[in-house]
Amino acid sequence: LKLAANNLGDRNTRKLADCMMATDIEVLDLSRNKIGTDLGEKQDGGNRTGVGEVVGIALGEMIEGTDSLVDIDLSWNSIRGKGAAAIGTAMGHGTTLKRVNLSFNSFSDEGGEAVGQSLHTNPILEEVDLSDNRIGERGSFFLANGVKASSSMRKLKLRNNPIGAAGARAIL
């Protein structure tokens, strides 16, 4: 199912995530859909509700709940914070998931840590693209540990992340 560049936004993506759990779809492309851009309503103190994080949590639940998804592309969105962590954690529970493209989001170290930990528990995940996600040295250490623990990982892309020399050495 290729739904790239359809401006689905957060609300529609959450609805789609709920529906996906009852399908046999193997490939899902939700790239360039402005996922994670809805900041929600202002609450007391001027803070926002974090609706952009909620959609990431819904996508994580979808990844965990489907038993057919092999390839998912969530690139070029704005998934961050708790939503990024939920997707990263869910990747460890996906029993069919082999390829994940999360490039050009805002995963940062929080999401990098969750993805790294998921590599310990997903026995078939082969490729993960985390390019352009603001993952720093701390996140790269978790990813390095995950890659070393995984027997299936073949390709990890971290292009244009501030992992530094220490992060690069850890991954090598």
Side-chain angles (χ1 to χ4, degrees), residues 2-163:
K2 297 202 178 230
L3 295 173
N6 278 298
N7 294 321
L8 293 177
D10 292 349
R11 192 167 288 119
N12 291 323
T13 301
R14 285 175 63 192
K15 290 176 185 177
L16 178 68
D18 289 340
C19 296
M20 277 294 298
M21 288 193 254
T23 70
D24 290 330
I25 292 174
E26 294 180 5
V27 177
L28 180 61
D29 183 351
L30 294 176
S31 61
R32 298 179 185 266
N33 268 297
K34 299 183 179 179
I35 299 169
T37 58
D38 187 350
L39 296 175
E41 300 294 320
K42 283 192 176 183
Q43 302 294 310
D44 293 334
N47 294 327
R48 300 215 178 248
T49 59
V51 174
E53 291 183 344
V54 173
V55 73
I57 293 168
L59 287 167
E61 290 170 354
M62 177 204 67
I63 291 168
E64 263 188 71
T66 183
D67 58 0
S68 61
L69 195 59
V70 175
D71 188 325
I72 187 166
D73 186 344
L74 295 170
S75 63
W76 289 92
N77 285 293
S78 295
I79 302 167
R80 62 195 175 279
K82 292 176 186 163
I87 290 170
T89 300
M91 288 168 53
H93 301 286
T95 57
T96 57
L97 201 57
K98 289 186 177 184
R99 288 171 298 282
V100 181
N101 186 348
L102 300 167
S103 62
F104 295 94
N105 279 285
S106 298
F107 264 53
S108 70
D109 284 336
E110 185 176 5
E113 178 179 338
V115 171
Q117 291 176 339
S118 75
L119 297 178
H120 289 272
T121 56
N122 185 321
I124 64 169
L125 191 60
E126 296 175 355
E127 297 178 24
V128 177
D129 189 346
L130 287 165
S131 300
D132 294 276
N133 263 293
R134 292 187 258 175
I135 295 171
E137 190 175 286
R138 187 175 72 81
S140 69
F141 290 141
F142 283 97
L143 289 166
N145 287 333
V147 167
K148 289 172 185 168
S150 173
S151 60
S152 59
M153 275 296 291
R154 304 284 181 255
K155 191 182 294 184
L156 174 65
K157 294 182 182 179
L158 287 171
R159 179 189 66 244
N160 202 26
N161 281 289
I163 64 172

